PDB file of all heavy atoms in Angstrom:
ATOM      1  N   ARG A   4     126.219 107.950 104.233  1.00 56.00           N
ATOM      2  CA  ARG A   4     125.273 108.601 103.367  1.00 56.00           C
ATOM      3  C   ARG A   4     124.248 107.657 102.774  1.00 56.00           C
ATOM      4  O   ARG A   4     123.020 107.999 102.725  1.00 56.00           O
ATOM      5  CB  ARG A   4     126.037 109.352 102.198  1.00 56.00           C
ATOM      6  CG  ARG A   4     126.788 110.604 102.672  1.00 56.00           C
ATOM      7  CD  ARG A   4     127.449 111.238 101.457  1.00 56.00           C
ATOM      8  NE  ARG A   4     128.224 112.406 101.917  1.00 56.00           N
ATOM      9  CZ  ARG A   4     128.916 113.201 101.041  1.00 56.00           C
ATOM     10  NH1 ARG A   4     128.949 112.890  99.785  1.00 56.00           N
ATOM     11  NH2 ARG A   4     129.541 114.256 101.523  1.00 56.00           N
ATOM     12  N   LEU A   5     124.665 106.501 102.370  1.00 55.00           N
ATOM     13  CA  LEU A   5     123.751 105.544 101.806  1.00 55.00           C
ATOM     14  C   LEU A   5     122.731 105.032 102.831  1.00 55.00           C
ATOM     15  O   LEU A   5     121.525 104.923 102.572  1.00 55.00           O
ATOM     16  CB  LEU A   5     124.470 104.354 101.229  1.00 55.00           C
ATOM     17  CG  LEU A   5     125.286 104.620  99.914  1.00 55.00           C
ATOM     18  CD1 LEU A   5     126.174 103.395  99.606  1.00 55.00           C
ATOM     19  CD2 LEU A   5     124.347 104.963  98.821  1.00 55.00           C
ATOM     20  N   LYS A   6     123.259 104.798 103.989  1.00 57.00           N
ATOM     21  CA  LYS A   6     122.354 104.374 105.128  1.00 57.00           C
ATOM     22  C   LYS A   6     121.368 105.437 105.481  1.00 57.00           C
ATOM     23  O   LYS A   6     120.182 105.230 105.759  1.00 57.00           O
ATOM     24  CB  LYS A   6     123.192 103.980 106.331  1.00 57.00           C
ATOM     25  CG  LYS A   6     123.949 102.654 106.161  1.00 57.00           C
ATOM     26  CD  LYS A   6     124.656 102.277 107.448  1.00 57.00           C
ATOM     27  CE  LYS A   6     125.379 100.987 107.286  1.00 57.00           C
ATOM     28  NZ  LYS A   6     126.046 100.583 108.556  1.00 57.00           N
ATOM     29  N   PHE A   7     121.812 106.659 105.406  1.00 57.00           N
ATOM     30  CA  PHE A   7     120.898 107.820 105.744  1.00 57.00           C
ATOM     31  C   PHE A   7     119.781 107.891 104.707  1.00 57.00           C
ATOM     32  O   PHE A   7     118.632 108.180 105.027  1.00 57.00           O
ATOM     33  CB  PHE A   7     121.757 109.114 105.775  1.00 57.00           C
ATOM     34  CG  PHE A   7     120.889 110.336 106.082  1.00 57.00           C
ATOM     35  CD1 PHE A   7     120.408 110.591 107.342  1.00 57.00           C
ATOM     36  CD2 PHE A   7     120.572 111.183 105.025  1.00 57.00           C
ATOM     37  CE1 PHE A   7     119.600 111.702 107.596  1.00 57.00           C
ATOM     38  CE2 PHE A   7     119.790 112.338 105.303  1.00 57.00           C
ATOM     39  CZ  PHE A   7     119.357 112.577 106.569  1.00 57.00           C
ATOM     40  N   ARG A   8     120.118 107.790 103.402  1.00 63.00           N
ATOM     41  CA  ARG A   8     119.112 107.851 102.354  1.00 63.00           C
ATOM     42  C   ARG A   8     118.101 106.708 102.494  1.00 63.00           C
ATOM     43  O   ARG A   8     116.906 106.897 102.292  1.00 63.00           O
ATOM     44  CB  ARG A   8     119.780 107.806 100.955  1.00 63.00           C
ATOM     45  CG  ARG A   8     120.522 109.052 100.621  1.00 63.00           C
ATOM     46  CD  ARG A   8     121.235 108.950  99.267  1.00 63.00           C
ATOM     47  NE  ARG A   8     121.958 110.162  98.925  1.00 63.00           N
ATOM     48  CZ  ARG A   8     122.662 110.304  97.804  1.00 63.00           C
ATOM     49  NH1 ARG A   8     122.777 109.250  96.941  1.00 63.00           N
ATOM     50  NH2 ARG A   8     123.332 111.436  97.592  1.00 63.00           N
ATOM     51  N   GLN A   9     118.586 105.533 102.808  1.00 63.00           N
ATOM     52  CA  GLN A   9     117.671 104.368 102.949  1.00 63.00           C
ATOM     53  C   GLN A   9     116.684 104.614 104.087  1.00 63.00           C
ATOM     54  O   GLN A   9     115.507 104.329 104.037  1.00 63.00           O
ATOM     55  CB  GLN A   9     118.525 103.070 103.214  1.00 63.00           C
ATOM     56  CG  GLN A   9     119.205 102.609 101.958  1.00 63.00           C
ATOM     57  CD  GLN A   9     120.135 101.395 102.263  1.00 63.00           C
ATOM     58  OE1 GLN A   9     120.221 100.949 103.401  1.00 63.00           O
ATOM     59  NE2 GLN A   9     120.754 100.819 101.210  1.00 63.00           N
ATOM     60  N   LEU A  10     117.203 105.120 105.219  1.00 62.00           N
ATOM     61  CA  LEU A  10     116.349 105.416 106.344  1.00 62.00           C
ATOM     62  C   LEU A  10     115.323 106.488 105.991  1.00 62.00           C
ATOM     63  O   LEU A  10     114.153 106.423 106.411  1.00 62.00           O
ATOM     64  CB  LEU A  10     117.190 105.886 107.543  1.00 62.00           C
ATOM     65  CG  LEU A  10     118.077 104.769 108.181  1.00 62.00           C
ATOM     66  CD1 LEU A  10     118.985 105.386 109.219  1.00 62.00           C
ATOM     67  CD2 LEU A  10     117.222 103.691 108.822  1.00 62.00           C
ATOM     68  N   LEU A  11     115.739 107.447 105.210  1.00 61.00           N
ATOM     69  CA  LEU A  11     114.825 108.535 104.839  1.00 61.00           C
ATOM     70  C   LEU A  11     113.707 108.023 103.932  1.00 61.00           C
ATOM     71  O   LEU A  11     112.559 108.352 104.079  1.00 61.00           O
ATOM     72  CB  LEU A  11     115.685 109.653 104.084  1.00 61.00           C
ATOM     73  CG  LEU A  11     114.813 110.845 103.708  1.00 61.00           C
ATOM     74  CD1 LEU A  11     114.240 111.550 104.941  1.00 61.00           C
ATOM     75  CD2 LEU A  11     115.682 111.850 102.926  1.00 61.00           C
ATOM     76  N   LEU A  12     114.075 107.125 102.966  1.00 58.00           N
ATOM     77  CA  LEU A  12     113.056 106.567 102.108  1.00 58.00           C
ATOM     78  C   LEU A  12     112.066 105.681 102.856  1.00 58.00           C
ATOM     79  O   LEU A  12     110.867 105.718 102.638  1.00 58.00           O
ATOM     80  CB  LEU A  12     113.730 105.727 101.000  1.00 58.00           C
ATOM     81  CG  LEU A  12     114.447 106.531  99.896  1.00 58.00           C
ATOM     82  CD1 LEU A  12     115.223 105.642  98.990  1.00 58.00           C
ATOM     83  CD2 LEU A  12     113.499 107.444  99.156  1.00 58.00           C
ATOM     84  N   LEU A  13     112.588 104.934 103.831  1.00 63.00           N
ATOM     85  CA  LEU A  13     111.705 104.043 104.584  1.00 63.00           C
ATOM     86  C   LEU A  13     110.745 104.845 105.452  1.00 63.00           C
ATOM     87  O   LEU A  13     109.598 104.433 105.619  1.00 63.00           O
ATOM     88  CB  LEU A  13     112.519 103.119 105.448  1.00 63.00           C
ATOM     89  CG  LEU A  13     113.358 101.987 104.756  1.00 63.00           C
ATOM     90  CD1 LEU A  13     114.288 101.301 105.705  1.00 63.00           C
ATOM     91  CD2 LEU A  13     112.379 101.017 104.073  1.00 63.00           C
ATOM     92  N   SER A  14     111.270 105.974 105.909  1.00 63.00           N
ATOM     93  CA  SER A  14     110.328 106.804 106.806  1.00 63.00           C
ATOM     94  C   SER A  14     109.263 107.492 105.971  1.00 63.00           C
ATOM     95  O   SER A  14     108.145 107.842 106.414  1.00 63.00           O
ATOM     96  CB  SER A  14     111.266 107.796 107.552  1.00 63.00           C
ATOM     97  OG  SER A  14     111.861 108.706 106.650  1.00 63.00           O
ATOM     98  N   LEU A  15     109.569 107.888 104.720  1.00 59.00           N
ATOM     99  CA  LEU A  15     108.562 108.573 103.817  1.00 59.00           C
ATOM    100  C   LEU A  15     107.603 107.588 103.089  1.00 59.00           C
ATOM    101  O   LEU A  15     106.548 108.049 102.650  1.00 59.00           O
ATOM    102  CB  LEU A  15     109.327 109.370 102.724  1.00 59.00           C
ATOM    103  CG  LEU A  15     110.166 110.524 103.259  1.00 59.00           C
ATOM    104  CD1 LEU A  15     110.943 111.190 102.057  1.00 59.00           C
ATOM    105  CD2 LEU A  15     109.274 111.590 103.898  1.00 59.00           C
ATOM    106  N   LEU A  16     107.925 106.357 102.989  1.00 57.00           N
ATOM    107  CA  LEU A  16     107.088 105.403 102.210  1.00 57.00           C
ATOM    108  C   LEU A  16     105.702 105.283 102.828  1.00 57.00           C
ATOM    109  O   LEU A  16     104.680 105.322 102.104  1.00 57.00           O
ATOM    110  CB  LEU A  16     107.850 104.043 102.198  1.00 57.00           C
ATOM    111  CG  LEU A  16     107.117 102.944 101.372  1.00 57.00           C
ATOM    112  CD1 LEU A  16     106.891 103.391  99.924  1.00 57.00           C
ATOM    113  CD2 LEU A  16     107.862 101.651 101.406  1.00 57.00           C
ATOM    114  N   PRO A  17     105.470 105.099 104.123  1.00 54.00           N
ATOM    115  CA  PRO A  17     104.095 104.992 104.635  1.00 54.00           C
ATOM    116  C   PRO A  17     103.261 106.215 104.353  1.00 54.00           C
ATOM    117  O   PRO A  17     102.057 106.219 104.149  1.00 54.00           O
ATOM    118  CB  PRO A  17     104.333 104.821 106.154  1.00 54.00           C
ATOM    119  CG  PRO A  17     105.720 104.256 106.260  1.00 54.00           C
ATOM    120  CD  PRO A  17     106.496 104.896 105.135  1.00 54.00           C
ATOM    121  N   LEU A  18     103.969 107.450 104.453  1.00 55.00           N
ATOM    122  CA  LEU A  18     103.244 108.684 104.213  1.00 55.00           C
ATOM    123  C   LEU A  18     102.721 108.703 102.762  1.00 55.00           C
ATOM    124  O   LEU A  18     101.600 109.163 102.514  1.00 55.00           O
ATOM    125  CB  LEU A  18     104.198 109.882 104.501  1.00 55.00           C
ATOM    126  CG  LEU A  18     103.568 111.258 104.349  1.00 55.00           C
ATOM    127  CD1 LEU A  18     102.345 111.454 105.257  1.00 55.00           C
ATOM    128  CD2 LEU A  18     104.654 112.302 104.605  1.00 55.00           C
ATOM    129  N   LEU A  19     103.571 108.298 101.777  1.00 52.00           N
ATOM    130  CA  LEU A  19     103.191 108.333 100.374  1.00 52.00           C
ATOM    131  C   LEU A  19     101.982 107.349 100.143  1.00 52.00           C
ATOM    132  O   LEU A  19     101.079 107.615  99.431  1.00 52.00           O
ATOM    133  CB  LEU A  19     104.359 107.949  99.511  1.00 52.00           C
ATOM    134  CG  LEU A  19     105.451 109.008  99.432  1.00 52.00           C
ATOM    135  CD1 LEU A  19     106.703 108.465  98.684  1.00 52.00           C
ATOM    136  CD2 LEU A  19     104.976 110.280  98.791  1.00 52.00           C
ATOM    137  N   MET A  20     102.050 106.184 100.764  1.00 55.00           N
ATOM    138  CA  MET A  20     101.001 105.146 100.563  1.00 55.00           C
ATOM    139  C   MET A  20      99.649 105.646 101.133  1.00 55.00           C
ATOM    140  O   MET A  20      98.559 105.405 100.640  1.00 55.00           O
ATOM    141  CB  MET A  20     101.429 103.825 101.211  1.00 55.00           C
ATOM    142  CG  MET A  20     102.587 103.188 100.508  1.00 55.00           C
ATOM    143  SD  MET A  20     103.077 101.595 101.359  1.00 55.00           S
ATOM    144  CE  MET A  20     101.595 100.688 101.203  1.00 55.00           C
ATOM    145  N   PHE A  21      99.730 106.311 102.281  1.00 50.00           N
ATOM    146  CA  PHE A  21      98.538 106.835 102.933  1.00 50.00           C
ATOM    147  C   PHE A  21      97.843 107.929 102.105  1.00 50.00           C
ATOM    148  O   PHE A  21      96.580 107.981 101.991  1.00 50.00           O
ATOM    149  CB  PHE A  21      98.935 107.401 104.284  1.00 50.00           C
ATOM    150  CG  PHE A  21      97.772 108.039 104.995  1.00 50.00           C
ATOM    151  CD1 PHE A  21      96.907 107.275 105.742  1.00 50.00           C
ATOM    152  CD2 PHE A  21      97.592 109.416 105.011  1.00 50.00           C
ATOM    153  CE1 PHE A  21      95.817 107.803 106.391  1.00 50.00           C
ATOM    154  CE2 PHE A  21      96.496 109.991 105.694  1.00 50.00           C
ATOM    155  CZ  PHE A  21      95.614 109.202 106.393  1.00 50.00           C
ATOM    156  N   ASN A  22      98.630 108.778 101.413  1.00 52.00           N
ATOM    157  CA  ASN A  22      98.014 109.875 100.595  1.00 52.00           C
ATOM    158  C   ASN A  22      97.487 109.342  99.307  1.00 52.00           C
ATOM    159  O   ASN A  22      96.478 109.890  98.813  1.00 52.00           O
ATOM    160  CB  ASN A  22      99.113 110.874 100.289  1.00 52.00           C
ATOM    161  CG  ASN A  22      99.476 111.693 101.508  1.00 52.00           C
ATOM    162  OD1 ASN A  22      98.760 111.814 102.454  1.00 52.00           O
ATOM    163  ND2 ASN A  22     100.752 112.225 101.517  1.00 52.00           N
ATOM    164  N   CYS A  23      97.996 108.277  98.734  1.00 50.00           N
ATOM    165  CA  CYS A  23      97.526 107.757  97.426  1.00 50.00           C
ATOM    166  C   CYS A  23      96.303 106.881  97.587  1.00 50.00           C
ATOM    167  O   CYS A  23      95.378 106.816  96.810  1.00 50.00           O
ATOM    168  CB  CYS A  23      98.616 106.997  96.716  1.00 50.00           C
ATOM    169  SG  CYS A  23      99.988 108.030  96.232  1.00 50.00           S
ATOM    170  N   SER A  24      96.210 106.094  98.665  1.00 48.00           N
ATOM    171  CA  SER A  24      95.183 105.131  98.785  1.00 48.00           C
ATOM    172  C   SER A  24      93.787 105.661  98.890  1.00 48.00           C
ATOM    173  O   SER A  24      92.879 105.221  98.171  1.00 48.00           O
ATOM    174  CB  SER A  24      95.467 104.193 100.005  1.00 48.00           C
ATOM    175  OG  SER A  24      94.483 103.239 100.211  1.00 48.00           O
ATOM    176  N   PRO A  25      93.447 106.682  99.640  1.00 46.00           N
ATOM    177  CA  PRO A  25      92.106 107.201  99.790  1.00 46.00           C
ATOM    178  C   PRO A  25      91.622 107.813  98.476  1.00 46.00           C
ATOM    179  O   PRO A  25      90.461 107.750  98.154  1.00 46.00           O
ATOM    180  CB  PRO A  25      92.237 108.282 100.898  1.00 46.00           C
ATOM    181  CG  PRO A  25      93.401 107.883 101.693  1.00 46.00           C
ATOM    182  CD  PRO A  25      94.326 107.277 100.715  1.00 46.00           C
ATOM    183  N   GLN A  26      92.501 108.578  97.754  1.00 46.00           N
ATOM    184  CA  GLN A  26      92.099 109.216  96.486  1.00 46.00           C
ATOM    185  C   GLN A  26      91.662 108.156  95.476  1.00 46.00           C
ATOM    186  O   GLN A  26      90.708 108.301  94.739  1.00 46.00           O
ATOM    187  CB  GLN A  26      93.245 110.039  95.993  1.00 46.00           C
ATOM    188  CG  GLN A  26      92.899 110.819  94.689  1.00 46.00           C
ATOM    189  CD  GLN A  26      94.055 111.662  94.265  1.00 46.00           C
ATOM    190  OE1 GLN A  26      95.072 111.695  94.852  1.00 46.00           O
ATOM    191  NE2 GLN A  26      93.826 112.381  93.176  1.00 46.00           N
ATOM    192  N   GLN A  27      92.417 107.044  95.435  1.00 45.00           N
ATOM    193  CA  GLN A  27      92.070 106.026  94.415  1.00 45.00           C
ATOM    194  C   GLN A  27      90.744 105.367  94.842  1.00 45.00           C
ATOM    195  O   GLN A  27      89.881 105.049  94.012  1.00 45.00           O
ATOM    196  CB  GLN A  27      93.183 104.959  94.398  1.00 45.00           C
ATOM    197  CG  GLN A  27      92.925 103.845  93.337  1.00 45.00           C
ATOM    198  CD  GLN A  27      94.090 102.868  93.278  1.00 45.00           C
ATOM    199  OE1 GLN A  27      95.054 103.048  94.057  1.00 45.00           O
ATOM    200  NE2 GLN A  27      94.049 101.964  92.409  1.00 45.00           N
ATOM    201  N   LYS A  28      90.477 105.202  96.102  1.00 42.00           N
ATOM    202  CA  LYS A  28      89.297 104.555  96.557  1.00 42.00           C
ATOM    203  C   LYS A  28      88.094 105.461  96.249  1.00 42.00           C
ATOM    204  O   LYS A  28      86.997 104.962  95.911  1.00 42.00           O
ATOM    205  CB  LYS A  28      89.389 104.286  98.053  1.00 42.00           C
ATOM    206  CG  LYS A  28      88.269 103.413  98.660  1.00 42.00           C
ATOM    207  CD  LYS A  28      88.566 103.174 100.097  1.00 42.00           C
ATOM    208  CE  LYS A  28      87.511 102.230 100.711  1.00 42.00           C
ATOM    209  NZ  LYS A  28      87.715 101.930 102.114  1.00 42.00           N
ATOM    210  N   THR A  29      88.229 106.717  96.439  1.00 40.00           N
ATOM    211  CA  THR A  29      87.191 107.732  96.169  1.00 40.00           C
ATOM    212  C   THR A  29      86.815 107.750  94.701  1.00 40.00           C
ATOM    213  O   THR A  29      85.646 107.769  94.329  1.00 40.00           O
ATOM    214  CB  THR A  29      87.602 109.155  96.661  1.00 40.00           C
ATOM    215  OG1 THR A  29      87.932 109.044  98.006  1.00 40.00           O
ATOM    216  CG2 THR A  29      86.427 110.071  96.428  1.00 40.00           C
ATOM    217  N   GLU A  30      87.777 107.680  93.850  1.00 39.00           N
ATOM    218  CA  GLU A  30      87.605 107.727  92.426  1.00 39.00           C
ATOM    219  C   GLU A  30      86.849 106.473  91.928  1.00 39.00           C
ATOM    220  O   GLU A  30      86.047 106.510  91.004  1.00 39.00           O
ATOM    221  CB  GLU A  30      88.936 107.823  91.636  1.00 39.00           C
ATOM    222  CG  GLU A  30      89.547 109.178  91.847  1.00 39.00           C
ATOM    223  CD  GLU A  30      90.937 109.263  91.170  1.00 39.00           C
ATOM    224  OE1 GLU A  30      91.415 108.226  90.772  1.00 39.00           O
ATOM    225  OE2 GLU A  30      91.493 110.328  91.157  1.00 39.00           O
ATOM    226  N   GLU A  31      87.086 105.322  92.586  1.00 38.00           N
ATOM    227  CA  GLU A  31      86.353 104.132  92.194  1.00 38.00           C
ATOM    228  C   GLU A  31      84.874 104.187  92.618  1.00 38.00           C
ATOM    229  O   GLU A  31      84.016 103.722  91.923  1.00 38.00           O
ATOM    230  CB  GLU A  31      87.031 102.925  92.869  1.00 38.00           C
ATOM    231  CG  GLU A  31      88.388 102.606  92.250  1.00 38.00           C
ATOM    232  CD  GLU A  31      89.088 101.482  93.022  1.00 38.00           C
ATOM    233  OE1 GLU A  31      88.487 101.018  93.985  1.00 38.00           O
ATOM    234  OE2 GLU A  31      90.146 101.026  92.574  1.00 38.00           O
TER     235      GLU A  31
END
């Protein structure tokens, strides 16, 4: 279960970074 959660977080991390970065750049 722990290994499954770690893999799930690692797979979602790039998606979260991609969504946040453009919005911050536009606001600047």
Side-chain angles (χ1 to χ4, degrees):
R4 286 183 181 178
L5 289 173
K6 286 184 178 182
F7 178 75
R8 288 179 181 176
Q9 289 175 356
L10 289 173
L11 183 61
L12 288 173
L13 289 173
S14 62
L15 293 175
L16 183 60
L18 182 60
L19 292 173
M20 292 178 63
F21 177 80
N22 290 335
C23 294
S24 179
Q26 184 177 0
Q27 184 178 2
K28 190 174 183 181
T29 304
E30 289 175 354
E31 290 176 356

